[in-house]
Amino acid sequence: MCGPCPVRQDCASHALTYQEHGVWGGTTESDRNNERRVLRGGPNRRSGRGGQC
């Protein structure tokens, strides 16, 4: 749905910043929550490794 959209990145960024609900810019709330954790240096729930390689 969002793949060909020319403002996909802007949309996802908005949703990440303003904590919007639903799918925005091809990302789900879970995707964005994980991204916020990574940006804060917390654990990524998918890998559980906290951004450490």
Side-chain angles (χ1 to χ4, degrees):
M1 175 188 319
C2 297
C5 181
V7 295
R8 178 180 179 185
Q9 186 62 42
D10 292 333
C11 187
S13 180
H14 170 87
L16 186 62
T17 301
Y18 295 101
Q19 299 186 15
E20 298 288 1
H21 299 283
V23 175
W24 284 69
T27 62
T28 65
E29 291 178 57
S30 293
D31 294 335
R32 294 187 302 275
N33 287 336
N34 282 330
E35 182 66 20
R36 282 187 204 95
R37 280 186 205 93
V38 169
L39 292 172
R40 287 191 311 252
N44 180 332
R45 294 279 168 108
R46 288 188 182 155
S47 70
R49 293 175 19 181
Q52 300 173 7
C53 295

